[in-house]
Amino acid sequence: QAFTSLIHFIKRVLPAPLLASMHKVHRVNQLPLKDAIGRILLSAGIFNWGAGMGMGPVKGFNNPEVKEIIGKTVDETVYNIPKEESETATFAAGCFWGVQLAFQRVPGVMSTMVGYTAGAKEHPTYQQVCSGSTGHTEAVQLLFNPQAVSYKELLMVLFDRMDPTTLNRQGNDSGTQYRSGIYYHSEAQKMIANEFINSVQPNYTSKIVVEVKPATKFWPAEDYHQKYLEKGRQKASKGCLDPIKCYG
């Protein structure tokens, strides 16, 4: 009865576009209606508790070095390189919506895609991954120009988006599908990742639990999830430092 009353209240006070989004999340992702409501309300920033902690629905960029990475000017002649000259990076840091938007803004990142990796089942769906039964984690795979942004700089952006000391949880999201990870595509990336973790461990009171594993098959997520927050009118332009509103 309480949930029914909440539905009636939401229908009275929410703008029509948000109501439409709520039902689309419910229908397309096959989420329970109550979960769809929570995701839309939080993504819209209607409830923004936790913002002061740096986690939760609203998260700004806290590290001055990361602000410099995102805000730096990149020469277009350097930025535009053939795809075959780019490198691939795959990261996980909780809900992939906000992580993707952060990397979209980094000069030198040529393209981004959200999906599922480090699991056993082939062609997993969002619903299956959310059940925790496939072993996958929500991840972002990107192509980047190593002349414009280094792999270490990408790691710095990654760590600014998450708490690397929480196992199978980021913000309000918990479960193995929200574990954090660095999935390397070369021995050089593996070495850089391990050296980076060792160098930043003294900054944390708890042990860093980010898994570092070789990259395996990356399954692109459903179209609805791709650039989700950009579709919701959050800026994805290079150099943008606006706080990111995202569920999780």
Side-chain angles (χ1 to χ4, degrees), residues 63 65 159 164-165 196-206 208:
N63 187 326
E65 291 180 288
F159 272 59
T165 68
F196 177 80
I197 290 174
N198 289 335
S199 70
V200 300
Q201 178 61 76
N203 299 334
Y204 300 90
T205 56
S206 299
I208 292 175

Side-chain angles (χ1 to χ4, degrees), residues 11-53:
K11 287 182 177 180
R12 288 198 307 269
V13 301
L14 278 190
L18 277 182
L19 283 174
S21 296
M22 179 183 74
H23 285 289
K24 188 172 184 180
V25 171
H26 169 53
R27 183 181 70 256
V28 176
N29 294 320
Q30 301 178 42
L31 287 175
L33 187 56
K34 64 181 179 64
D35 293 338
I37 291 170
R39 179 155 290 202
I40 289 299
L41 292 180
L42 288 167
S43 296
I46 291 174
F47 299 124
N48 62 354
W49 54 75
M53 297 295 290

Side-chain angles (χ1 to χ4, degrees), residues 43-240:
S43 296
I46 291 174
F47 299 124
N48 62 354
W49 54 75
M53 297 295 290
M55 296 298 292
V58 181
K59 180 168 173 55
F61 295 90
N62 302 315
N63 187 326
E65 291 180 288
V66 170
K67 291 181 179 180
E68 289 185 10
I69 293 169
I70 296 175
K72 68 182 176 181
T73 301
V74 174
D75 190 313
E76 287 296 324
T77 60
V78 176
Y79 176 72
N80 292 319
I81 62 172
K83 181 178 179 181
E84 56 269 20
E85 295 180 14
S86 67
E87 294 185 17
T88 304
T90 305
F91 303 126
C95 175
F96 49 24
W97 291 347
V99 182
Q100 180 179 34
L101 184 59
F103 282 113
Q104 283 179 266
R105 296 174 173 182
V106 177
V109 172
M110 301 165 58
S111 65
T112 63
M113 177 181 293
V114 297
Y116 318 113
T117 196
K121 182 177 176 58
E122 295 190 348
H123 305 286
T125 65
Y126 180 68
Q127 184 181 29
Q128 291 168 338
V129 172
C130 282
S131 73
S133 64
T134 71
H136 293 86
T137 185
E138 291 192 13
V140 177
Q141 188 165 94
L142 52 95
L143 296 180
F144 68 98
N145 180 347
Q147 300 176 55
V149 62
S150 69
Y151 190 71
K152 180 180 178 180
E153 288 176 323
L154 295 177
L155 292 174
M156 293 172 68
V157 175
L158 175 70
F159 272 59
D160 191 61
R161 304 316 303 164
M162 66 177 181
D163 179 350
T165 68
T166 55
L167 183 64
N168 299 329
R169 179 174 62 82
Q170 286 297 321
N172 299 320
D173 290 322
S174 61
T176 56
Q177 71 273 27
Y178 295 117
R179 69 187 183 274
S180 52
I182 300 169
Y183 306 99
Y184 55 86
H185 293 262
S186 67
E187 286 301 309
Q189 287 188 355
K190 176 183 179 181
M191 181 180 68
I192 294 169
N194 284 325
E195 289 179 350
F196 177 80
I197 290 174
N198 289 335
S199 70
V200 300
Q201 178 61 76
N203 299 334
Y204 300 90
T205 56
S206 299
K207 181 178 174 58
I208 292 175
V209 293
V210 179
E211 62 182 19
V212 179
K213 294 182 176 181
T216 55
K217 179 68 177 179
F218 181 89
W219 301 97
E222 296 79 352
D223 288 344
Y224 181 68
H225 288 293
Q226 303 299 333
K227 299 182 178 179
Y228 183 88
L229 298 182
E230 181 184 2
K231 293 173 184 175
R233 299 182 181 180
Q234 293 193 56
K235 294 180 181 178
S237 54
K238 300 298 182 186
C240 179

